[in-house]
Amino acid sequence: SSKTSVATVISNPRTLPHPEFRAMPKTSAKGKILVMLDPGHGGEDPGAVGPTGTKEKHVVLDIGKHLYDLINQTDYMAAKLTRADDVFIPLGARVAIARRAKADIFVSIHADAFTTPEAKGSSVFMLSDRGASSSFARWLAKTQNNSDLIGGMSFKSKDRVVSKVLLDMTQTWTHNKSDKLGQILLANLGNIGKLHNGHVEKAAFAVLKAPDI
């Protein structure tokens, strides 16, 4: 959604320890859908630190490993992790890992702090081509983006105009699919716990800038 108006916050009681995956058919062309899970931060970059010293890098790695196991139990999706240990990986390298694996979907996982301790709940973000969709999204993007070094794409054309058209088409397709996926994720997260917003947020996160994933 591209709307920037304040949405009604949805709050539902937790009914499941984790989402349940419905059975879906395999894709005919590629077999399983490959999901690259990206636990944020790691190594010397702890991410947000809680009042008792809990570090974001450990929380998101634990979430990533749980998701990895759940996804790989299905017969229509496969999962890989950008990091499986407490190591630091630059933002550009995270995207490069997904590209080399030919991932279909890239999911970056974070457990952020905010300016007030009362903030809690979940959000889903997708790439915004025109900046962030809210002050919260802008603030969060600034705290996460330490690098904007994202690898380019290679179309088998030496014509710059043709390459640009192909890139624009690819980005448009990816943007539309990301929006639909984000809405599905948000709806399912709303069945588990509180949401910050009832719509998909948009921000210029560096790890979301691969135009083909």
Side-chain angles (χ1 to χ4, degrees):
S1 172
S2 59
K3 295 180 181 178
T4 56
S5 58
V6 177
T8 303
V9 175
I10 303 170
S11 180
N12 294 322
R14 180 184 294 274
T15 56
L16 296 170
H18 56 72
E20 289 182 342
F21 293 115
R22 290 181 300 168
M24 294 177 64
K26 294 181 181 179
T27 56
S28 57
K30 291 184 60 178
K32 291 187 176 184
I33 297 168
L34 179 57
V35 182
M36 183 62 66
L37 300 170
D38 176 46
H41 308 283
E44 62 267 30
D45 176 14
V49 180
T52 61
T54 304
K55 296 178 180 178
E56 178 183 358
K57 65 176 183 176
H58 297 313
V59 173
V60 296
L61 181 59
D62 187 53
I63 293 171
K65 288 181 176 180
H66 278 291
L67 280 172
Y68 175 89
D69 290 338
L70 284 168
I71 290 172
N72 282 319
Q73 289 171 13
T74 69
D75 62 357
Y76 59 94
M77 290 191 296
K80 291 188 176 182
L81 290 160
T82 55
R83 69 177 183 94
D85 300 296
D86 183 18
V87 295
F88 174 76
I89 302 176
L91 300 183
R94 293 170 186 264
V95 179
I97 290 170
R99 277 241 175 88
R100 283 197 299 270
K102 297 184 178 179
D104 299 292
I105 299 170
F106 186 96
V107 180
S108 191
I109 305 165
H110 290 269
D112 296 290
F114 195 47
T115 53
T116 61
E118 291 78 15
K120 70 175 184 177
S122 301
S123 296
V124 175
F125 285 82
M126 62 176 286
L127 180 65
S128 170
D129 294 327
R130 296 192 177 111
S133 60
S134 71
S135 58
F136 172 72
R138 285 194 295 271
W139 177 85
L140 192 57
K142 287 180 181 179
T143 65
Q144 297 294 344
N145 289 347
N146 296 319
S147 171
D148 198 21
L149 303 175
I150 302 300
M153 292 181 65
S154 176
F155 297 107
K156 295 180 179 179
S157 171
K158 295 182 180 180
D159 189 313
R160 294 183 64 183
V161 175
V162 172
S163 294
K164 185 179 186 305
V165 170
L166 290 172
L167 176 61
D168 287 343
M169 290 173 64
T170 302
Q171 287 179 316
T172 299
W173 186 89
T174 302
H175 184 277
N176 292 339
K177 292 294 184 180
S178 297
D179 193 12
K180 290 181 180 179
L181 176 61
Q183 292 178 41
I184 293 169
L185 290 173
L186 196 67
N188 280 275
L189 282 171
N191 291 329
I192 298 173
K194 181 180 178 181
L195 299 177
H196 284 302
N197 290 293
H199 63 274
V200 178
E201 292 269 20
K202 296 184 179 182
F205 289 116
V207 290
L208 299 181
K209 291 186 177 180
D212 54 337
I213 302 176

